[in-house]
Amino acid sequence: MLYISDNLKWLRNKQKLTQQEAADGMKFGVDQYKKYEYGKNVPPAESLLVISRYYHISIDLLLTVDLSKIDLKNLLRLEDNRILLPIKVDAEGENLVEIVTHKAKAGYAAGGYADYNFISELDHIHLPWLQKNEKYRTFPIDGDSMPPHNNKSFIIAKYIEKLGDVIDGKTYVVVTTNRELVYKRLNKNGRNSFALQSDNTFYEPYDVKFSEIAEIWEYVGSLEREQFKPESYDVADLGKIIRKLQLDMNELNRKLSN
């Protein structure tokens, strides 16, 4: 459901503007503006950008969130209002961090990250060492692809606004438009994609296009519900090591033959 028409009416009334005044402020014809507010037409991208800058609200929220139900004061404003994220605070004004549980993970990956009502129902914790001017969430880990973390671990991560801020070799939580939420080590793979690598070399790396990425969150810490086990090398581990060496040799041979 798109909320743009309801949001236009609510924002205009909040600022006590007439339809003519709102249209003039955005340099729209009044008939054009009325069609947007009455829901007869959905504003095209160029018009959405104008509306976004006029009200200082991101296009994401204009389209997907009923603004009448949220407190606009508790939003994190990012550069050029490209996106605004809701921030929960405690009685002392300290930021609260949302916890995406294993149960909520599928719903989050399916688009809950853009649903204010979904986010508002998540549990929260306060972590006093986190910076106040950043946005954080915690995400669950599945499987054994990123040791020593396992499916009892939660990754504390900081929201990354720009893909260009991703640093090769660091770990990130990636949410894709294909309903995938993973924790991997990222490397730029050309101009339009990232290579997602597991620390467990049993798993092959794979590529994700920039256009398929909905959110990226940078690792800043973790919450562990199980003690890390001391490293040991059994037959299965040695098999993985040998397989990794074979893959490395194949890759080296491929490069030398080019």
Side-chain angles (χ1 to χ4, degrees):
M1 176 179 180
L2 296 180
Y3 292 93
I4 182 64
S5 60
D6 291 338
N7 286 337
L8 280 173
K9 182 178 181 180
W10 182 80
L11 288 166
R12 177 176 62 78
N13 288 332
K14 190 172 185 293
Q15 295 196 12
K16 299 180 180 179
L17 300 172
T18 65
Q19 289 180 323
Q20 183 68 61
E21 289 170 333
D24 290 345
M26 289 179 269
K27 294 182 171 56
F28 294 153
V30 68
D31 290 337
Q32 174 191 7
Y33 173 83
K34 286 180 179 178
K35 288 179 181 178
Y36 296 158
E37 189 172 299
Y38 293 150
K40 294 182 179 179
N41 288 341
V42 176
E46 295 82 1
S47 297
L48 285 170
L49 187 59
V50 171
I51 297 167
S52 172
R53 290 175 175 171
Y54 182 77
Y55 284 119
H56 302 291
I57 299 291
S58 77
I59 293 174
D60 310 65
L61 293 188
L62 284 170
L63 289 173
T64 64
V65 174
D66 183 350
L67 296 178
S68 66
K69 295 182 179 179
I70 68 174
D71 185 355
L72 294 180
K73 296 177 183 178
N74 291 336
L75 293 174
L76 177 63
R77 297 180 181 271
L78 301 175
E79 184 177 339
D80 296 328
N81 291 309
R82 192 180 65 81
I83 188 170
L84 298 177
L85 298 174
I87 296 178
K88 290 283 186 179
V89 297
D90 61 16
E92 286 71 41
E94 297 288 344
N95 288 355
L96 296 175
V97 180
E98 295 101 351
I99 302 174
V100 180
T101 62
H102 283 279
K103 183 177 180 181
K105 180 179 178 179
Y108 188 95
Y113 52 83
D115 184 339
Y116 177 80
N117 292 327
F118 180 94
I119 296 300
S120 65
E121 292 176 358
L122 297 175
D123 289 329
H124 301 79
I125 56 174
H126 170 53
L127 300 173
W129 61 85
L130 298 179
Q131 298 180 24
K132 291 184 179 181
N133 61 339
E134 301 285 358
K135 177 62 186 172
Y136 300 90
R137 283 192 182 135
T138 66
F139 298 91
I141 294 297
D142 284 333
D144 62 348
S145 65
M146 294 296 287
H149 306 294
N150 55 46
N151 58 12
K152 292 186 180 296
S153 302
F154 282 81
I155 298 301
I156 307 165
K158 178 180 71 173
Y159 181 75
I160 298 296
E161 180 193 2
K162 299 177 182 178
L163 297 181
D165 291 337
V166 171
I167 299 173
D168 282 354
K170 296 191 70 172
T171 55
Y172 297 84
V173 173
V174 178
V175 185
T176 73
T177 56
N178 297 323
R179 301 189 175 188
E180 184 179 32
L181 191 161
V182 296
Y183 173 56
K184 299 292 182 184
R185 199 170 297 277
L186 266 57
N187 287 282
K188 295 183 181 68
N189 189 16
R191 294 182 177 180
N192 300 312
S193 65
F194 286 118
L196 275 62
Q197 174 110 31
S198 299
D199 284 355
N200 184 341
T201 56
F202 179 79
Y203 297 93
E204 296 281 356
Y206 60 96
D207 295 345
V208 172
K209 295 179 180 178
F210 293 167
S211 60
E212 297 173 344
I213 294 174
E215 294 185 348
I216 288 187
W217 299 76
E218 180 185 344
Y219 171 90
V220 298
S222 65
L223 300 174
E224 307 297 337
R225 297 188 297 134
E226 184 176 85
Q227 291 189 45
F228 292 143
K229 297 177 180 178
E231 289 188 356
S232 62
Y233 295 98
D234 55 21
V235 174
D237 292 323
L238 291 175
K240 293 177 184 178
I241 293 171
I242 292 171
R243 184 171 181 274
K244 176 64 166 83
L245 290 172
Q246 290 173 334
L247 291 172
D248 289 344
M249 288 298 297
N250 290 338
E251 178 64 16
L252 179 60
N253 289 333
R254 184 187 67 79
K255 290 181 178 179
L256 290 175
S257 63
N258 290 338

